[in-house]
Every structure is written in structure tokens, then in C-alpha cells.
Amino acid sequence: MTLGDSAASVEVEPVRVGPKGQQLFAMLHRPRASQPSLCIVMLNAGMQNRAGPQRLYWKFAQQAANEDVAVLRVDLAGVGDCEKDNPACHFDAHDKADVAAVVSYVRQRFDNCRIVLLGLCAGSRVAFKAAAEDADIDGLIAWSTTIITAAQNSPQSPYEPEDRMSEVVVAQKMKGIVRFVTRLRFLNPFWWRKTVSYTHLRAHETAMNISYAV
């Protein structure tokens, strides 16, 4: 069944969660003909909006809703159409309290509905934090979880241990080591040519001296 075929059986509804002026924004996909017993809350992929990379979240939500699963695609603070501002842009920028507010909304909207958090990249980091404080969350899908700061241009999270080197720092240190090593004369082609030529000349002179002595 294609996405177009399933669209008629899926209801898509914009949702706002939180106080006026600080509202989170989400799109709810739900089956028209049944009450869902499972809701998947899809959190931001890094700082991308609720559509996900190449609209991956939207495609998944349509398919899941056609299988009687509700899906809530969320714009957390500072992303997409969310009203709430968020000046931070590191991997721990999302607030677990915002996720808790979304989970509370789902519980009010659907009775006896199991809840699974799904996060990609930075979204999986905040999903972990929210699930750790809510024993009633039924599942967690952590996709491509960022362990330490990876990208050269990504600000390092203030929550990362100060004594742990991020991949950015490791890369910088490795570049320094490579630069140092390549400056050593035994890796310099000119030095090798000069040394080999000198060694060959000295060997020739020694051989000539021996022949003269004989």
C-alpha cells in the first residue's frame, strides 16, 4: 500500500502544547477508524524540524497511522514552528521538561495508550533523559545517538565531562601529531636524497682507499 492510498484512512492534526507564547508545536497522525493503543512521539533530529531528514518522520508517521498507531511529530524549543525560543545549539540543547509536557498531552488525549519516545541524534539524547525520569514510558527508540561532540563546527555540550576528549579535540590533536611527525627529517624526501647520496659517496671513497692500499 502506498502513502497516497493510506492518506484517506489517516487523520493529521496540528497540536500545540504548553502555555501561550511558549507553545511547542507538533503534528499528530492517527487512524481515523480506531482508537490507537500505541503512540510514538518523534523528537527532533538534531535541530531539524518535525519532518525529519528527507521527510523521513512524515513518511513513517503516515505508514504507522495506517497500522493503527498514533504518531506525534514534535518541534521542540527553537525548532520549526515552536513558539518557545532556544538559543543553544549543542547536542543537549533540548529540554527534557518539554518532552514531559508532550508525554502528558498524549496521556490526556488517549486513554490507556502506551507511549514510545523516538529520537534521532540530539533527539535521542533528550529522549533518554525524559525516559529516565518517567517510569511509565513504555519504550525508547534511540537512533544514531550522539555520544560525544562529533562535527568540527558543532558546539560541545556543557554536559560532556571536561576530562573526556571530544572527536573534535581528538582530530585537532592528531593533526598536530601528524604535522610534528612530517617535520622530522627522516620523513623528508630531500633529507633522504642527500643522506643516501652522501653515504654512497663515502662508500665509494672507502672502496677506493682500500684498493690503493692493496
Side-chain angles (χ1 to χ4, degrees), residues 30-78:
R30 56 166 301 176
R32 289 183 183 274
S34 63
Q35 179 75 4
S37 59
L38 171 64
C39 180
I40 299 176
V41 177
M42 305 188 78
L43 305 173
N44 295 114
M47 293 298 168
Q48 295 189 22
N49 70 10
R50 62 192 178 274
Q54 286 78 52
R55 293 178 62 79
L56 178 64
Y57 280 14
W58 180 86
K59 294 175 184 177
F60 173 85
Q62 286 294 100
Q63 292 283 23
N66 192 60
E67 299 295 331
D68 296 332
V69 175
V71 178
L72 193 64
R73 298 184 290 114
V74 184
D75 282 340
L76 293 173

